[in-house]
Amino acid sequence: MNELDWDDHADWWQREFTDGVDPEYVEQIIPLAVHHLAGAERVLDVGTGEGQIARAVCREVGAEVVGVDPTASLLDLAHQRAGGPRYLRAESDGLPLANASVDAVVVCLVFEHVDNLSESLSEVARVLRPGGRFLLFLNHPLLQTPGSALIVDHMVDPAETYWRLGPYLPGAETVEEVQKDVFVRFVHRPLSAYLNEMTRAGLRLVHMDEPAPPPGFLARSGVAERAVAAATPRLLLLVAERSSSGVEDRGTE
Ligand SMILES: C[S@@+](CC[C@H](N)C(=O)[O-])C[C@H]1O[C@@H](n2cnc3c(N)ncnc32)[C@H](O)[C@@H]1O
């Protein structure tokens, strides 16, 4: 198993998180994406996977959507699931689109797996038109650091339930066994690393969401843990606008 290769995770990802089986996507992520992309006519979904966000944006926003992803097996599934988007095979640091060619870019749970954040954000800024919108969904960089976990301490009476944080400030590469025999690589960065790189790339923060986990997710946690789980965001959404200053011309499409 090569934890760097998303082809190895494709079955796990599509079985556990797509096609309506995951409450966080159904109740939270997809509705937030649709809400914040309202009005966009041309949308790029970077790291589209099997295309669940791209399809929803086609269907519910009525936009023309391009999804890019380097993982062949996920793109194959995206083509099978159809629903309107067009797909291209590419990585986030080399987007095969022309300068200022889209109204909005969405990146959902992708940049916490890539090394080259700076180049990837420069590419997002390059393909966005001035004033265009950027949606960045992340596993919450503070509250979901490597080593974070819900702890129920039975050594005290009454038992204490709390959210344990892992080390936040140091950047870290980790490989986590997210399910038996499924190893996924994460690149942890503090929130300031994301915001400062976005600012450098000309992407200005205009809105931020830290939603509580949705009811369908909380229903899966035990009653004793539910209050702590409900007070601990798993997701962070940063919404930014591309400034009007110029970017380098790559002219690839
Ligand atoms: C957690 S999945 C998210 C998929 C999709 N965005 C969604 O929300 O359903 C992470 C995705 O990132 C893609 N990915 C990994 N490295 C990438 C890179 N360097 N550039 C673009 N996408 C990448 C993987 O192929 C995978 O589809």
Side-chain angles (χ1 to χ4, degrees):
M1 169 88 45
N2 173 10
E3 67 275 0
L4 303 182
D5 187 348
W6 270 83
D7 275 312
D8 292 336
H9 316 321
D11 277 354
W12 161 76
W13 177 255
Q14 69 91 14
R15 190 179 60 244
E16 301 289 333
F17 295 99
T18 75
D19 210 17
V21 302
D22 178 50
E24 290 184 283
Y25 270 97
V26 173
E27 297 173 29
Q28 191 159 73
I29 294 176
I30 291 174
L32 277 169
V34 165
H35 171 75
H36 286 286
L37 292 170
E41 293 181 1
R42 298 159 303 166
V43 175
L44 171 66
D45 180 16
V46 177
T48 189
E50 57 65 67
Q52 58 183 333
I53 293 179
R55 282 190 299 281
V57 173
C58 271
R59 187 177 62 239
E60 295 180 39
V61 177
E64 193 181 297
V65 183
V66 175
V68 304
D69 201 286
T71 305
S73 52
L74 286 171
L75 284 182
D76 286 348
L77 190 56
H79 281 117
Q80 283 168 36
R81 290 184 170 171
R86 189 161 67 89
Y87 294 105
L88 299 169
R89 191 165 179 204
E91 297 201 41
S92 53
D93 60 356
L95 297 173
L97 271 77
N99 291 356
S101 58
V102 296
D103 301 312
V105 176
V106 55
V107 180
C108 181
L109 307 187
V110 175
F111 282 176
E112 53 273 75
H113 302 287
V114 309
D115 291 306
N116 39 9
L117 178 67
S118 179
E119 296 84 346
S120 298
L121 286 167
S122 294
E123 280 292 88
V124 167
R126 179 183 67 74
V127 303
L128 264 179
R129 68 163 170 76
R133 185 147 283 213
F134 173 45
L135 268 56
L136 178 58
F137 290 92
L138 294 167
N139 287 294
H140 198 296
L142 169 60
L143 292 157
Q144 305 296 328
T145 51
S148 299
L150 191 70
I151 303 294
V152 184
D153 183 354
H154 292 286
M155 300 298 282
V156 291
D157 188 16
E160 192 183 347
T161 304
Y162 61 93
W163 188 251
R164 180 189 69 200
L165 286 183
Y168 171 66
L169 282 176
E173 274 182 54
T174 55
V175 175
E176 294 180 23
E177 188 171 18
V178 292
Q179 200 172 75
K180 191 173 179 323
D181 295 333
V182 180
F183 296 89
V184 178
R185 179 171 175 270
F186 288 85
V187 183
H188 167 68
R189 305 171 176 94
L191 180 55
S192 51
Y194 285 100
L195 286 172
N196 290 335
E197 285 295 348
M198 284 168 58
T199 304
R200 181 205 51 75
L203 298 163
R204 187 176 58 86
L205 184 72
V206 293
H207 182 77
M208 174 169 154
D209 270 325
E210 298 174 288
F217 176 86
L218 293 173
R220 293 178 177 181
S221 54
V223 176
E225 294 89 71
R226 204 163 291 161
V228 175
T232 309
R234 290 165 52 81
L235 187 72
L236 174 69
L237 169 59
L238 302 177
V239 182
E241 267 180 21
R242 152 90 150 77
S243 72
S244 52
S245 58
V247 287
E248 192 191 346
D249 188 347
R250 287 170 54 107
T252 46
E253 196 178 71

